[in-house]
Amino acid sequence: MRLLVCGGAGFIGSNFVRVRARDHGDDVVVLDKLTYAGRRENLQDVEHEFVHGAIEDPAVVTAAMEGVDAVVNFAAETHVDRSIAEPDAFVTTHALGTYVLLETARARRVRYVQVSTDEVYGSIEEGSFTESSPLAPSSPYSATKAGADLLVGSYHHTYGLETLICRGSNNYGPYQYPEKLIPLMVLNALHGDRLPVYGDGMNVRNWLYVEDFARGIGHVLEHGVPGEVYNVGGPDETTNLDVVRSIIEYVGASEELIEFVTDRPGHDRRYSLGSEKVRALGWEAQVRFAEGLRRTVDWYRDNAWWWEPIRSGDYRAYYERQYGRALG
Ligand code: NAD
Ligand code: TYD
């Protein structure tokens, strides 16, 4: 299959490209704007064609979609804290970018997979969201992702485009930019830097190892029913504080590094996805959290070449703005 993977130079996209090229022999074209989160290094060991450009640019998208069998869209701004500080790019990429991709896919009658998130459902105290739960997003990140999902659905309903939506829970694993909880805590713990836990640390996330999500998206691409939404949730849920304690224990750092800091505004308490529908298609998560976390910590410990340029670059200024203290 020839695939156009938008946002394929980011965390999940690059893992998806690796899984598809390695395990399925797909021919992959990556279209990526290379924002701070997108890096050519993420794909240096995978055969692919690369187009540098934005999904909101119709000329670039039209050329990149030439001759492909399907489009998988990962391209997004993905960090909730950045969406609170500066929402502009979230609106452009999620609303306008998704629209341009859909219009181009419609003109070419190409199957379209939108990669989305559990955050579009909002927070849930108990139980789990199903695909028919109402959308109730809380942040500019999740609200613009929800808007994109609705637009995708409308292209199936109105124009008969073969669309699919995959809503994943919190991913973790190799190549994740260290603004997100797990890689941030791993690198800080390895360096003896403070571990900034928001609020009381009791927010709960449903953790999904990135290769499991990549396989789930591939599964939906191949076996999903057009027009449908599929939740792809992780096998374990954990409080943030327990995640941080597990990292400390595995790295051999001190609990004294934990620092409770001011909570994120509008912070969602708990996410939880029911994934029966994608399981009925034959997908199952294979990596439990304890094992996935060990693999992740080992990867960051062994791949300083990947994170050293990030940790010594613009990320330092971001970190200082976000946390009010410099990295060590
Ligand atoms: P990421 O931030 O690591 O990567 C995003 C990629 O998109 C980068 O390569 C970036 O350069 C590219 N990009 C951004 N704007 C673009 C634009 N306008 N045009 C072209 N490329 C652009 O993100 P990620 O964590 O890999 O997330 C990928 C997708 O999965 C997103 O749609 C996100 O909403 C979704 N998702 C993420 C998680 C998670 O835990 N990270 C969970 C569920 C769903
Ligand atoms: P994050 O990785 O930003 O993912 P999301 O907000 O999309 O779920 O955060 C995961 C959880 O960790 C979330 O409850 C916020 C919390 N968190 C901290 O406590 N400290 C931090 O420094 C970060 C980045 C996140």
Side-chain angles (χ1 to χ4, degrees), residues 79-81 119 170 179-181 184-185 196-198 203 205 207 240 264 267 271 323:
H79 194 40
V80 173
D81 294 324
E119 302 192 27
N170 279 65
E179 64 193 349
K180 304 287 180 358
L181 179 75
L184 184 147
M185 295 298 174
V197 173
Y198 296 165
N203 302 67
R205 296 293 184 263
W207 294 101
N240 294 337
R264 171 188 283 172
H267 195 175
Y271 298 136
Y323 297 99

Side-chain angles (χ1 to χ4, degrees), residues 25 47 92 104-105 132 139 155 174 231-232 257 260 276 301 309:
E47 203 171 309
T92 306
T104 316
S132 51
S139 69
Y155 269 65
N231 288 345
V232 184
L257 292 178
F260 289 94
E276 286 69 22
R301 192 189 266 134

Side-chain angles (χ1 to χ4, degrees), residues 23-180:
D23 302 344
H24 298 264
D26 285 336
D27 203 7
V28 180
V29 184
V30 171
L31 167 63
D32 201 294
K33 193 173 176 175
L34 298 180
T35 66
Y36 72 94
R39 301 174 74 210
R40 296 299 313 271
E41 295 91 315
N42 294 355
L43 288 166
Q44 67 179 21
D45 59 335
V46 201
E47 203 171 309
H48 65 285
E49 286 171 40
F50 187 78
V51 180
H52 185 196
I55 58 167
E56 60 271 23
D57 181 338
V60 170
V61 169
T62 302
M65 223 181 269
E66 182 73 48
V68 306
D69 301 301
V71 177
V72 185
N73 181 31
F74 293 88
E77 292 289 334
T78 58
H79 194 40
V80 173
D81 294 324
R82 290 187 195 250
S83 87
I84 293 167
E86 280 181 273
D88 319 31
F90 291 75
V91 177
T92 306
T93 295
H94 302 171
L96 188 56
T98 304
Y99 160 71
V100 170
L101 290 177
L102 287 167
E103 271 299 297
T104 316
R106 173 162 88 97
R108 294 182 179 271
R109 309 306 297 171
V110 171
R111 181 173 267 234
Y112 181 90
V113 180
Q114 178 77 356
V115 180
S116 185
T117 162
D118 57 1
E119 302 192 27
V120 297
Y121 298 116
S123 188
I124 188 167
E125 288 292 322
E126 280 175 17
S128 301
F129 290 118
T130 70
E131 290 80 357
S132 51
S133 299
L135 303 189
S138 325
S139 69
Y141 164 64
S142 53
T144 50
K145 288 294 289 182
D149 283 10
L150 294 175
L151 195 62
V152 171
S154 81
Y155 269 65
H156 175 74
H157 188 82
T158 307
Y159 305 114
L161 184 67
E162 286 196 12
T163 63
L164 295 144
I165 298 176
C166 283
R167 294 190 178 132
S169 58
N170 279 65
N171 276 230
Y172 66 104
Y175 302 97
Q176 187 169 31
Y177 195 82
E179 64 193 349
K180 304 287 180 358

